[in-house]
Amino acid sequence: MIKTVSLANCAEFDAYICAAPAGHFMQRSAWGRCRLGWQWQGLMCVDSRGTVRAAMALLSRRVSGTKLRLFYAPRGPIFERNNHAALAELLTAAQKFVRDNGGYLLRMDPQIPEGETKLLRFLESFGFRVSA
């Protein structure tokens, strides 16, 4: 199940990011609060017991002179490395969220070790281009 998070209700989201081994301060709501000109939105994939399995903070801003929005997940998404099902659910929800909110691009830069080719191929299967 996907939960949408705003700056007003982000305590659970931030707790997950802080506890995750690959968690990064740029995925926390505090980073969204200090990024003037950007809007912050969080997405969480939660299992049937209510445990967060993956999360992604999305920063967005309008492209000058257009109605389009650029979306960026700095150092995200954050996820359990072997839980591709949760990551798939999160990525699908993020792509839909971006489309539904006038986005033309979703850029991510998760921290992935260089040799994890299986994970890189998995991300490519969602239409993402992987660059070094």
Side-chain angles (χ1 to χ4, degrees):
M1 175 175 81
I2 297 294
K3 284 187 178 180
T4 304
V5 181
S6 70
L7 289 172
N9 67 339
C10 57
E12 182 181 22
F13 182 93
D14 282 341
Y16 174 77
I17 299 300
C18 288
H24 195 277
F25 75 92
M26 291 172 74
Q27 278 288 295
R28 294 190 55 212
S29 63
W31 185 249
R33 285 185 174 92
C34 73
R35 299 297 300 161
L36 299 177
W38 292 80
Q39 292 181 340
W40 186 93
Q41 187 74 46
L43 299 175
M44 296 188 306
C45 179
V46 181
D47 68 15
S48 60
R49 292 171 287 163
T51 304
V52 180
R53 296 296 177 199
M56 180 188 315
L58 293 170
L59 295 172
S60 68
R61 71 176 178 188
R62 189 174 224 168
V63 177
S64 181
T66 74
K67 293 182 179 182
L68 299 174
R69 299 190 71 76
L70 164 70
F71 284 81
Y72 177 43
R75 290 295 183 219
I78 307 300
F79 55 95
E80 299 167 346
R81 289 289 185 231
N82 295 322
N83 192 342
H84 285 190
L87 179 57
E89 187 175 352
L90 182 67
L91 293 175
T92 300
Q95 289 174 326
K96 182 180 182 333
F97 183 85
V98 167
R99 276 192 310 273
D100 291 350
N101 288 280
Y104 76 96
L105 174 71
L106 170 56
R107 180 173 182 210
M108 309 183 311
D109 56 2
Q111 299 180 73
I112 300 174
E114 193 172 322
E116 280 197 52
T117 56
K118 184 178 177 184
L119 180 56
L120 295 175
R121 296 303 141 294
F122 181 78
L123 293 173
E124 287 177 336
S125 75
F126 279 85
F128 292 102
R129 287 183 292 164
V130 176
S131 62

